[in-house]
Amino acid sequence: MIIFIIFMRLGGLRLSIGLINMMLNLDKLFEKITLIFGVGILVLVLLIFYELISNSILIFWKFGVKFFATVYWDPIKGIYGALPFIYGTLFTASLALFVACPISIGLAVFLTELSPKKFSQIFSSLIDLIAAIPSVIIGLWGIFILAPFIRQYIQPLLRTLSFIPLFQGETQGLCYLNAILVLIFMITPIMTSIFTEAFRNVPRDLKEALYALGGTRYEVIKHVSIPHIRTALLAGIVLAYGRALGETLAVTMVIGNKPNITISLLNPGYTLAAVIANEFLEATDALYVSALIALGLILFIISLIVNLIGALLLRRLSK
């Protein structure tokens, strides 16, 4: 009997050791799989970068640095300049982010600190639904609703401010202002959802402590909530800016599609993504195709720089 008990205990011990070894092997296998996926993504990005470089080398070989500084774009005459498209992309995305960021923070504060719980849930769901609207629908909204509204109502109001370069000129509704409003409508729900979730995750004990010391709601938000979620705020801003830089269809439909470097919001413009979408199928000349792929390379580099700066700032803030 004693021998049988000893045998069973040894068998159970071996079984336990076997299970432990199997779990360790599964853990190592999972670690290797995740490593493969991580390296695979890096390789994919490098392959995309290589393809863009190799297919745009022709335009760089012919124009060199002038391709980035030339303001004219005339494929018929063989003149290619990327500066109007770079300007249009950064101009629209930056102004849209500048306006959408405080709106998103205000909405997030309202939904988490001021509004009733039921209203907050309904409104949050509505914001998520708006973020899921396809770009083409927003583009149609910009053409049929925003363009006439800008032409009939906003333009007469801005004539009184025509001494400001930002509001000079005339428009039929398809202009920088329309594209900026469309981008604001697209990126505000994204940032609002991220900011709202971040505000909800602020520890209640921290806020209650400041309330106990006599702090107002404004002081709690300023000195507790916002410092606690600053990394989430930056992440939302970087994500929204990347979306605004790369937005194609909606902006193409409302911006006017004219290579134009101007500070006026009422003038038409062009972006990197819009010119690629509009002209790539029409490009038959090798130099023309190379120029469009080079524009894609520029957009890729800009997005990469934005995300890299965001990652560095996030790391610094987290420390």
Side-chain angles (χ1 to χ4, degrees), residues 33-243:
I33 292 173
T34 54
L35 178 62
I36 290 172
F37 283 133
V39 173
I41 292 173
L42 180 61
V43 171
L44 182 61
V45 172
L46 293 176
L47 286 175
I48 294 173
F49 187 72
Y50 171 76
E51 287 295 324
L52 291 173
I53 285 285
S54 61
N55 287 284
S56 60
I57 196 69
L58 181 62
I59 194 72
F60 294 136
W61 177 78
K62 184 170 183 178
F63 285 88
V65 182
K66 291 182 180 179
F67 177 72
F68 299 96
T70 303
V71 297
Y72 300 104
W73 179 270
D74 192 345
I76 297 176
K77 296 180 180 179
I79 302 174
Y80 301 98
L83 189 59
F85 312 116
I86 298 173
Y87 173 81
T89 301
L90 296 176
F91 184 63
T92 54
S94 300
L95 284 182
L97 184 71
F98 180 76
V99 176
C101 189
I103 294 175
S104 301
I105 294 176
L107 284 173
V109 171
F110 172 75
L111 292 175
T112 55
E113 300 291 339
L114 302 175
S115 68
K117 187 175 181 180
K118 290 185 178 180
F119 178 82
S120 176
Q121 292 175 349
I122 295 172
F123 201 76
S124 297
S125 301
L126 181 62
I127 290 174
D128 294 335
L129 289 175
I130 293 174
I133 296 176
S135 299
V136 65
I137 303 300
I138 299 176
L140 291 173
W141 173 71
I143 291 175
F144 294 109
I145 304 298
L146 280 182
F149 183 78
I150 292 171
R151 183 174 61 251
Q152 297 174 13
Y153 299 103
I154 295 182
Q155 184 172 228
L157 291 176
L158 294 181
R159 286 197 182 109
T160 59
L161 302 174
S162 59
F163 60 92
I164 302 175
L166 201 63
F167 306 121
Q168 292 178 353
E170 300 288 331
T171 183
Q172 294 299 316
L174 302 179
C175 55
Y176 277 124
L177 179 59
N178 199 334
I180 291 169
L181 291 175
V182 164
L183 287 176
I184 291 171
F185 184 78
M186 295 181 73
I187 66 176
T188 297
I190 298 173
M191 287 195 292
T192 302
S193 296
I194 296 173
F195 296 166
T196 301
E197 191 63 29
F199 274 112
R200 285 174 178 165
N201 289 329
V202 176
R204 189 167 184 83
D205 293 343
L206 296 178
K207 296 190 289 185
E208 294 293 342
L210 189 53
Y211 280 130
L213 293 174
T216 62
R217 180 172 291 169
Y218 170 76
E219 291 174 332
V220 170
I221 294 171
K222 180 180 178 181
H223 298 293
V224 176
S225 298
I226 291 181
H228 190 271
I229 66 166
R230 56 185 181 179
T231 55
L233 292 176
L234 182 58
I237 290 171
V238 171
L239 180 63
Y241 193 53
R243 171 73 186 275

Side-chain angles (χ1 to χ4, degrees), residues 84-86 88-89 92 247-248 251-252 255 269-276:
F85 312 116
I86 298 173
T89 301
T92 54
E247 179 53 42
T248 304
V251 173
T252 304
I255 199 171
Y270 228 157
T271 63
L272 291 166
V275 67
I276 295 171

